[in-house]
Amino acid sequence: MSRTKPTSETERLSRADLAYYEQHLRNEIFSKVLRAFAQEAEAGRITKAYLAHCLGKDPAQITRWLSGPSNWTLNTVSNLLTAMDARLSAEVVFDREQPTRTTSIHSRVRPRTSKRGRRLRKLAQVTRCPFDERKEQ
Amino acid sequence: MGNRGHGERCARLRADLELFVTGGFIDPGYLKRLQGGGAAWEIRSVRPRPSLRVFGCFAMMDVFVALNMWARRELGSTKSSEFRREAETCKARWRKLFHPYEPHKGGSLRDCISDNVANEAHFRD
């Protein structure tokens, strides 16, 4: 699929699609940072008090940060990781064969007839899929 | 909230629920047991407003069955009658759907989720 010039068939992404992927990315990064903190805390190598001291913040602020990604900015991620002596390794992956984005996820709100979304429907099972198995799929 | 805003909020809620489905890291800010709610838990989708709560029970380790949903503002404080009512609703819906099977009972996240889950002690004040 060429992405150089928009044609009459080029579909504009809906605001709901964009919101979904914004949230997805936010959760993914939050999840990675929190897992790193939890592993270090489990091993007794870090505490919230230590993070608060390093960053010159109130411990309650660290608690708020660790309780949800809603107010996070990229600076928050950087600050927390720096205080943990860690960094985020990120890469961009193109899904050229099977586009990542989908419109079917919002069909109940705004029905459309797009063929996209098979991949996410497959993901939407009730059972939680352990990380290791997911990598193998 | 208009249709457009509603669609966007639903999309974000879906992304939040998929964190559980895809094996993402679960912490007490995301999944919380209802106070005095027996086997009932809530998944919290906090931002953007309106903040949403999805209530349900675990059928077994790692298998969460969502049974109801509310906007947080409709629920009052965590000890309010609305929250107690929600725990009762979960119990009743569970019975209706799965009787005679009981929901999985666990007091902590690690009792209900096998992998990639926070030790709650490290996240408390």
Side-chain angles (χ1 to χ4, degrees):
Chain A
M1 182 182 21
S2 166
R3 290 183 178 84
T4 49
K5 257 187 183 172
T7 66
S8 57
E9 288 183 1
T10 305
E11 201 176 351
R12 178 171 284 183
L13 288 168
S14 72
R15 290 170 66 104
D17 283 338
L18 295 173
Y20 169 79
Y21 287 104
E22 282 168 16
Q23 193 71 16
H24 203 274
L25 181 68
R26 187 174 277 272
N27 286 342
E28 200 171 326
I29 292 173
F30 179 73
S31 191
K32 280 181 198 278
V33 174
L34 232 63
R35 189 165 55 240
F37 170 77
Q39 280 169 354
E40 291 294 289
E42 193 77 46
R45 287 193 288 262
I46 208 161
T47 61
K48 284 195 299 183
Y50 175 85
L51 287 181
H53 180 78
C54 280
L55 298 172
K57 300 278 182 194
D58 190 75
Q61 176 66 51
I62 304 296
T63 303
R64 274 196 295 278
W65 278 351
L66 297 179
S67 69
S70 46
N71 289 326
W72 279 30
T73 64
L74 286 176
N75 291 348
T76 316
V77 177
S78 171
N79 291 348
L80 284 172
L81 290 176
T82 305
M84 285 192 267
D85 292 324
R87 64 187 172 84
L88 185 69
S89 156
E91 59 178 321
V92 176
V93 179
F94 287 97
D95 290 335
R96 296 194 200 281
E97 294 300 312
Q98 193 175 28
T100 303
R101 60 178 187 259
T102 170
T103 52
S104 66
I105 56 174
H106 318 299
S107 54
R108 273 176 31 174
V109 180
R110 196 146 53 106
R112 288 166 77 165
T113 52
S114 168
K115 288 179 183 170
R116 291 175 185 163
R118 287 183 193 127
R119 186 173 163 194
L120 278 160
R121 271 202 297 277
K122 215 165 84 184
L123 277 175
Q125 301 158 3
V126 178
T127 308
R128 184 170 155 79
C129 179
F131 243 57
D132 296 342
E133 284 177 28
R134 192 155 58 95
K135 279 177 199 158
E136 286 163 17
Q137 281 170 7
Chain B
M1 190 187 286
N3 265 352
R4 177 181 279 183
H6 182 67
E8 286 178 39
R9 191 63 190 90
C10 287
R12 286 182 193 275
L13 174 63
R14 176 167 177 140
D16 285 342
L17 293 176
E18 283 182 1
L19 179 73
F20 181 91
V21 175
T22 57
F25 187 79
I26 301 297
D27 67 284
Y30 176 84
L31 181 66
K32 201 174 159 193
R33 190 161 158 258
L34 289 193
Q35 281 185 16
W41 291 74
E42 58 170 330
I43 288 179
R44 307 165 78 237
S45 178
V46 178
R47 293 284 169 89
R49 305 288 187 198
S51 180
L52 303 174
R53 298 290 184 272
V54 175
F55 297 96
C57 299
F58 279 87
M60 56 191 286
M61 273 296 243
D62 298 331
V63 181
F64 181 76
V65 180
L67 297 164
N68 206 8
M69 190 190 88
W70 282 97
R72 178 66 185 81
R73 62 170 176 251
E74 313 280 343
L75 293 165
S77 77
T78 48
K79 289 176 184 167
S80 68
S81 58
E82 285 86 359
F83 267 99
R84 281 200 300 276
R85 185 198 62 208
E86 211 41 53
E88 289 304 316
T89 304
C90 280
K91 214 186 283 180
R93 290 191 175 172
W94 182 274
R95 255 199 314 268
K96 198 173 170 189
L97 290 166
F98 304 115
H99 180 77
Y101 299 99
E102 288 288 316
H104 176 74
K105 289 194 174 78
S108 71
L109 288 176
R110 289 188 167 189
D111 294 335
C112 296
I113 295 174
S114 59
D115 189 31
N116 218 12
V117 60
N119 179 345
E120 284 150 287
H122 296 135
F123 287 81
R124 271 190 222 119
D125 274 326

